[in-house]
């Protein structure tokens, strides 16, 4: 999901407690509203009305709008990294790369509002949570970098990271690019294009 600069990796966060259905409902509604109107165009009252609550009642679940956005983007980053770690562990780097691509493509196609909010609104997250999100993003990038380096040992780190970030730019274009095809066709197209681009970067380096 990320196109932030790469750096030191961080491991996945510890598993959270059982999901709270009401909080999940609020986060889902907030993602749709933030994607359509922008973070600053949505009030606490808007969020409450979207899930049948008054603004004050929403404070029983979140301390404010910033807390909603922070939890939303932390959850995205933690989920991407946890699954990325699992898929990158395949000892066959070609299979690992295909598995990473399938995971990220499915996430992007199924969550266009989250992709949009993640790209636009990270700077509105309070600094401590924003720092953690960026650490998680960098760690996710490093999973891809490690797999691509195993597949194409001639690739240097800087070129590998640039290739991964460029690949994310393609995959995260789905809120804008996926309207003309059904989900399966778009997924297949993205898988083919992204794998070809990453392999081309490796061949040129070799």
């Amino acid at each position: 999901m990320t196109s932030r600069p790469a750096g030191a990796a961080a491991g996945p966060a510890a598993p959270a407690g059982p999901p709270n259905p009401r909080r999940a409902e609020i986060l889902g509604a907030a993602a749709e509203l933030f994607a359509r109107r922008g973070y600053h165009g949505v009030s606490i009252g808007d969020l409450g009305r979207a899930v049948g609550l008054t603004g004050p009642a929403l404070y029983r679940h979140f301390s404010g709008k910033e807390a909603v956005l922070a939890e939303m983007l932390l959850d995205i980053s933690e989920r991407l990294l946890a699954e990325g770690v699992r898929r990158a562990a395949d000892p066959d780097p070609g299979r690992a790369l295909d598995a990473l691509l399938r995971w990220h493509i499915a996430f992007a196609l199924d969550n266009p509002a989250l992709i949009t909010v993640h790209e636009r609104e990270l700077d509105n997250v309070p600094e401590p949570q924003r720092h953690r999100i960026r650490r998680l993003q960098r760690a996710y990038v490093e999973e891809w970098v490690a797999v691509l380096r195993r597949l194409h040992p001639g690739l240097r780190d800087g070129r590998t990271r640039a290739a991964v970030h460029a690949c994310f730019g393609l995959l995260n274009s789905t809120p804008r690019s996926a309207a003309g095809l059904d989900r399966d066709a778009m997924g297949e197209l993205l898988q083919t294009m992204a794998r070809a681009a990453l392999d081309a970067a490796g061949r040129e380096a070799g």
Side-chain angles (χ1 to χ4, degrees):
M1 282 281 289
T2 176
S3 58
R4 300 281 173 180
N20 180 312
R22 193 56 155 163
R23 287 172 72 88
E25 182 185 13
I26 293 167
L27 290 170
E32 296 294 335
L33 287 172
F34 292 160
R36 287 202 309 269
R37 303 185 198 173
Y39 174 78
H40 294 294
V42 179
S43 69
I44 281 290
D46 294 329
L47 292 179
R49 283 190 292 275
V51 293
L53 296 173
T54 64
L58 192 138
Y59 286 111
R60 293 200 295 268
H61 302 278
F62 292 94
S63 61
K65 192 170 69 166
E66 282 185 341
V68 174
L69 180 63
E71 182 164 327
M72 183 189 304
L73 298 189
L74 275 168
D75 177 66
I76 296 169
S77 301
E78 288 167 353
R79 279 194 281 156
L80 284 169
L81 177 56
E83 188 62 20
V85 167
R86 188 182 76 80
R87 293 184 179 231
D90 191 312
D92 182 314
R95 283 200 311 258
L97 183 57
D98 283 337
L100 285 169
L101 284 166
R102 284 193 299 272
W103 157 241
H104 196 108
I105 289 166
F107 187 93
L109 289 171
D110 292 341
N111 299 279
L114 290 176
I115 293 288
T116 299
V117 174
H118 197 280
E119 289 187 336
R120 292 180 183 170
E121 307 295 355
L122 180 58
D123 287 344
N124 291 308
V125 174
E127 195 281 331
Q129 292 96 326
R130 186 168 68 247
H131 178 70
R132 184 177 169 200
I133 290 165
R134 284 176 169 155
R135 284 174 54 235
L136 291 164
Q137 291 177 336
R138 289 193 293 268
Y140 184 54
V141 168
E142 291 307 307
E143 293 298 325
W144 287 67
V145 166
V147 168
L148 200 53
R149 287 293 306 277
R150 285 197 287 131
L151 186 61
H152 299 291
L155 268 174
R156 298 188 179 211
D157 281 353
R159 184 181 178 88
T160 309
R161 289 192 185 90
V164 170
H165 286 299
C167 177
F168 287 164
L170 169 65
L171 304 185
N172 292 343
S173 72
T174 50
R176 301 171 295 279
S177 63
L181 294 175
D182 64 39
R183 186 190 183 285
D184 289 345
M186 190 66 195
E188 182 179 351
L189 177 63
L190 289 171
Q191 182 89 18
T192 300
M193 291 177 66
R195 180 61 195 260
L198 292 173
D199 284 340
R203 284 195 300 273
E204 289 177 16

